[in-house]
Amino acid sequence: MSTNLSITYTAPWKLEAVDLPIPKREFRGKILEHAVIVKVIATNICGSDQHIYRGRFDVPAGTVLGHEITGEIIEIGRDVLHLAVGDIVSVPFNVSCGRCRNCKTQHPEVCETVNDQAPLGAYGFDLGGWQGGQSQYCLVPYADFALLKFPDRDQALDRMMDLAFLSDILPTGYHGCVSAKVKPGSTVYIAGAGPVGRAAAMSARLLGASCVIIGDQNKERLAVLKKGGYQTVDLSTSGSLKDKVDAILGVPEVDCGVDAVGYEAHGHGENADTELPETALNDVMDITRAGGSIGIPGIYVGGDPGSKLPRPKKGTLDLILGQVWVKSLTMTTGMAPVMNYSYDLMQAILWNRIDVQSVMDIKVVPLTAGVDAYKTFSDGSPKKFVLNPNGYLKNS
Ligand SMILES: NC(=O)c1ccc[n+]([C@@H]2O[C@H](COP(=O)([O-])OP(=O)(O)OC[C@H]3O[C@@H](n4cnc5c(N)ncnc54)[C@H](O)[C@@H]3O)[C@@H](O)[C@H]2O)c1
Ligand SMILES: [Zn+2]
Ligand SMILES: [Zn+2]
């Protein structure tokens, strides 16, 4: 009998690996001729999934999690003209139609038609009802528009441990740096040494940054970056961020700031174990020089059900906006428009211009080990977990 083993959300801190029916090319009673079914090759656990796991982003019980999906097409709708069964594809985490005003102007991250509650859609988030890809099979709508097809099947399978990050974190980190206007010679501060911060660090280098500084309170994660030749600042120790940056650059400011932390940020020094949601965003605002730009891939939400603080619970933060105004900073927020970058980043991988594995510390585990991997990742492990639901990859 066919199976579709999937990781589903039950309640905060409670996930299950359950067997579900294999999805059909059907959504809310309609056959989707523009859709494909993919057999999942690699599906990664993301910091964004962790917001759900920790009860900080509500999804209905039974939701299949996961939005970082790479797979093989096994079934195809009549209206899919440019893909075929057997193609190996990267699925951008944004669900987008390619037909609305925003999609037509290169803003697939705010597609207006795939979610009737808000102009953005994603797999595995209850943003439009699209089930996630931490499963053996997944429904992907608007396939011609959305999917990035890898040029060669054998090469794609061979390089999967790099290509698997094109569905989210690599384009997301890159978007953070492009938004922060990183260019040859730039000095950059990246808040957060999680997988997105590490992807941003690699991207800053690819864009020609001179000095890339990453801040975090997690020593183990910083050590991975240090080994990769990046500058790091340990925010768990005493002293201000400005002094720590000054000690590296000789000036207490950078050209470009990237917040790769989001609303579950912690404080500095003696507050390193305390959640202070505005810390990372205020840090990048404070450390970026006048006239500079800030990219904010770290997620901020309209309401945080798990926050103990009354204002963040309603989605309101205490920001140093006056300073931002005085310094004439430019800020870019929002989901990353993955497809805007994924083709170019694929080429950068295939031509060895970017070495993903140097700082990603990848661990491949079977889907059944996914529930435990969520906990290990949430506890601060430097590993990026890649689930292997159909045995295409070697578990490590
Ligand atoms: N915009 C997008 O499209 C997009 C896509 C993917 C992920 N994200 C978001 O990006 C953020 C990072 O993702 P991730 O997978 O790396 O998550 P993660 O939770 O693994 O990493 C966050 C890191 O930030 C560190 N941190 C906490 N407070 C800090 C502070 N004040 N300064 C510096 N570091 C601090 C934590 O110790 C942790 O290492 C999350 O909010 C995630 O939801 C956004
Ligand atoms: Zn993700
Ligand atoms: Zn659209």
Side-chain angles (χ1 to χ4, degrees), residues 124-296:
F125 273 104
D126 196 33
L127 293 172
W130 306 97
Q131 292 298 306
Q134 284 166 6
S135 56
Q136 290 179 282
Y137 300 91
C138 184
L139 167 70
V140 176
Y142 304 107
D144 270 336
F145 177 65
L147 292 175
L148 172 70
K149 176 185 158 178
F150 297 134
D152 181 86
R153 184 190 164 85
D154 292 341
Q155 182 192 42
L157 291 171
D158 192 41
R159 298 297 304 275
M160 192 50 62
M161 278 310 90
D162 304 295
L163 297 170
F165 306 104
L166 290 170
S167 56
D168 181 354
I169 55 169
L170 204 47
T172 296
Y174 191 80
H175 177 62
C177 290
V178 169
S179 309
K181 299 200 173 66
V182 177
K183 60 179 181 23
S186 301
T187 57
V188 185
Y189 174 70
I190 297 165
V196 172
R198 303 204 288 272
M202 277 185 262
S203 302
R205 220 178 233 180
L206 185 67
L207 288 162
S210 52
C211 179
V212 183
I213 305 170
I214 302 96
D216 201 303
Q217 303 88 342
N218 182 321
K219 290 182 174 32
E220 241 190 311
R221 289 183 170 191
L222 290 175
V224 177
L225 284 154
K226 214 175 202 167
K227 219 169 126 198
Y230 295 91
Q231 299 292 324
T232 58
V233 291
D234 182 353
L235 302 174
S236 72
T237 61
S238 61
S240 73
L241 175 62
K242 277 193 163 157
D243 285 347
K244 288 172 182 173
V245 167
D246 195 4
I248 296 169
L249 286 175
V251 284
E253 60 181 23
V254 292
D255 300 328
C256 313
V258 179
D259 171 0
V261 179
Y263 70 107
E264 290 193 64
H266 284 64
H268 297 183
E270 60 189 21
N271 289 320
D273 292 329
T274 308
E275 218 177 277
L276 292 170
E278 49 279 308
T279 308
L281 191 45
N282 278 340
D283 281 348
V284 292
M285 290 172 174
D286 194 32
I287 206 72
T288 304
R289 73 193 301 270
S293 297
I294 293 172
I296 311 175

Side-chain angles (χ1 to χ4, degrees), residues 37-110:
I37 303 293
V38 298
K39 186 172 181 183
V40 177
I41 295 173
T43 176
N44 327 320
I45 302 177
C46 181
S48 304
D49 299 322
Q50 295 289 344
H51 300 312
I52 300 174
Y53 174 57
R54 295 192 284 251
R56 309 297 291 270
F57 188 93
D58 263 342
V59 301
T63 299
V64 178
L65 298 184
H67 56 273
E68 299 191 5
I69 308 161
T70 313
E72 172 170 5
I73 296 178
I74 57 155
E75 189 193 319
I76 199 152
R78 192 186 53 212
D79 296 341
V80 180
L81 305 180
H82 304 294
L83 296 161
V85 168
D87 284 349
I88 309 280
V89 290
S90 175
V91 184
F93 78 81
N94 327 98
V95 180
S96 54
C97 73
R99 303 163 185 205
C100 72
R101 181 175 160 196
N102 286 343
C103 283
K104 284 179 180 175
T105 52
Q106 293 197 299
H107 281 292
E109 79 283 13
V110 280

Side-chain angles (χ1 to χ4, degrees), residues 40-43 364-367 386-395:
V40 177
I41 295 173
T43 176
V364 180
V365 295
L367 188 122
V386 176
L387 307 182
N388 180 18
N390 286 302
Y392 285 83
L393 314 169
K394 275 203 202 100
N395 296 319

